[in-house]
Amino acid sequence: VPDDLIVAMLAERISEPDCADGVILDGFPRTLVQAEMFDKLLAGRRMALDMVILFEADDEAMVERISGRFSCARCGEGYHDLNKPLSRDGICDVCGGQRFRRRADDNPETIRHRLEDYHVLTEPLLPFFRKKSILKSVDAMADIKNLELEIESLMNNT
């Protein structure tokens, strides 16, 4: 999707009444061009980003984390090969289902490719946001509860 279309769609969406108190963007911007376009759009509306949160994680740990995910085909309960295995082999803890699925793109090769894209396309955004003094980092490999508390703390102090 062309950058100008993405930014135009976002411009329209953030104009809606339910965005009046702010928005949280996940996965945007992905490139420096998108960031610069969005920055100009916001400046034209006398708005600006308050904060950008960088979820810092080791690439190989992310490969292990993502490729280990699976879910129950019946109820959707999420599991992980190492971090949240089934209590009984082949049986969902929640509904007793016996069919499970993994996302087709949650395989190590695809994940490594996505991480390469991140390093090439998205990582160059970090100096852009650092220069604006809005970049905050969190340890994405931390325990989920600690990560949640850290993000809440950052948001409450903005």
Side-chain angles (χ1 to χ4, degrees):
V1 180
D3 292 334
D4 56 342
L5 179 58
I6 291 171
V7 174
M9 290 170 51
L10 199 52
E12 183 177 321
R13 180 63 184 98
I14 65 174
S15 297
E16 296 294 324
D18 64 332
C19 296
D21 292 330
V23 298
I24 295 175
L25 303 175
D26 180 7
F28 178 87
R30 289 190 186 272
T31 66
L32 189 54
V33 171
Q34 289 177 355
E36 290 168 341
M37 291 175 72
F38 192 57
D39 200 42
K40 287 179 186 171
L41 169 84
L42 292 176
R45 296 181 180 197
R46 295 189 177 115
M47 300 168 70
L49 292 176
D50 295 323
M51 179 178 21
V52 172
I53 301 175
L54 171 63
F55 289 78
E56 295 196 57
D58 174 77
D59 283 4
E60 283 309 306
M62 289 304 300
V63 170
E64 181 180 291
R65 184 178 277 185
I66 295 169
S67 64
R69 300 186 300 197
F70 64 99
S71 62
C72 175
R74 184 192 292 171
C75 73
E77 180 67 15
Y79 295 96
H80 190 275
D81 293 330
L82 301 173
N83 301 329
K84 187 183 174 189
L86 298 166
S87 296
R88 294 177 293 159
D89 207 24
I91 300 173
C92 176
D93 297 347
V94 174
C95 73
Q98 296 178 9
R99 288 188 23 247
F100 299 89
R101 64 178 134 211
R102 292 178 191 267
R103 287 180 33 174
D105 61 346
D106 280 356
N107 64 72
E109 180 180 315
T110 303
I111 297 162
R112 285 189 183 95
H113 180 72
R114 289 182 354 221
L115 287 166
E116 286 174 27
D117 285 348
Y118 166 79
H119 291 301
V120 170
L121 299 171
T122 305
E123 220 167 51
L125 288 169
L126 302 181
F128 178 80
F129 292 127
R130 273 192 196 100
K131 186 177 177 183
K132 294 175 164 296
S133 299
I134 60 172
L135 184 66
K136 310 294 180 193
S137 297
V138 296
D139 178 6
M141 302 311 293
D143 170 81
I144 191 70
K145 189 63 182 165
N146 290 336
L147 182 58
E148 180 182 351
L149 292 171
E150 190 173 356
I151 292 168
E152 285 179 8
S153 175
L154 287 172
M155 294 181 76
N156 289 334
N157 292 321
T158 299

